[in-house]
Amino acid sequence: MNTSDQPSARVLYVIACGSSSGFLTLDLVRCAQSAGWIVCVITTPSGRNFIDMPALEQLTGYPVRSEYKNPEEPDVLPRADAIIVFPATFNTINKWALGISDTLAVGLLSEYTGLNKPIVAVPCFKTGGGLDTNPAFKRSLRLLRKYKVHVLYEPLLYPPKNRVPPEMILATLNHVIHEKTN
């Protein structure tokens, strides 16, 4: 897919982490495309084990990236207008909040946070397992919200892993975009 075919089309990065909820990335991409987004998928290195990379590449028309490119290589993905982090893991949320950019995915999140771009993060891991009540996670959520990242974390509404439906994630993103432009 070439963005020059649709100059007014918006580009969405979906950043998928290494989570058992990774299989839901396909549904989110389909839903975003139905809403008119050009979608590119980036994954954490461990996320490669939880998503269907060939299916996502075929669906989006772009390679799924998980590693930094060499400086002399051209960018194969267009710049994003917005980002959804789904599923977001405990590890990624904490590294991102602290500015630890040791992967392409967290590096992009750090960059786009600094640019104040619309970002929705959806942490997806088991509630009641200890990670959700870990003080580092709670601190990271506070920090990300302070950085104007919208964290969609409603484990009581979406038990047991906060698997928020794609339509709700996109509605939240639209709300975030509207707030940033008004």
Side-chain angles (χ1 to χ4, degrees), residues 42-65:
I42 293 97
T43 185
T44 60
S46 64
R48 293 182 297 224
N49 298 321
F50 294 90
I51 62 172
D52 186 342
M53 288 178 55
L56 288 165
E57 289 176 348
Q58 183 176 13
L59 187 61
T60 64
Y62 290 100
V64 173
R65 297 236 356 246

Side-chain angles (χ1 to χ4, degrees), residues 131-147:
L131 296 179
D132 58 322
T133 56
N134 184 295
F137 177 65
K138 291 180 177 190
R139 180 201 62 229
S140 294
L141 294 184
R142 284 193 306 274
L143 285 171
L144 290 174
R145 288 175 174 138
K146 182 179 176 181
Y147 305 156

Side-chain angles (χ1 to χ4, degrees), residues 1 23 50 69 76 80 89-90 113 119 146 156 178 181-182:
M1 181 179 297
F23 73 95
F50 294 90
K69 66 177 189 62
V76 294
T89 59
F90 177 84
T113 300
I119 303 174
K146 182 179 176 181
L156 296 178
H178 180 74
T181 57
N182 291 327

Side-chain angles (χ1 to χ4, degrees), residues 154-171:
E154 301 289 339
L156 296 178
L157 290 176
Y158 306 106
K161 294 185 178 183
N162 198 51
R163 289 179 173 167
V164 180
E167 298 80 11
M168 179 60 70
I169 297 169
L170 288 167

Side-chain angles (χ1 to χ4, degrees), residues 3 8-13 36-40 62 77-83:
T3 57
S8 62
R10 301 172 299 167
V11 176
L12 175 67
Y13 283 179
W37 287 96
I38 293 170
V39 183
C40 301
Y62 290 100
L77 304 181
R79 295 286 290 169
D81 297 299
I83 295 178

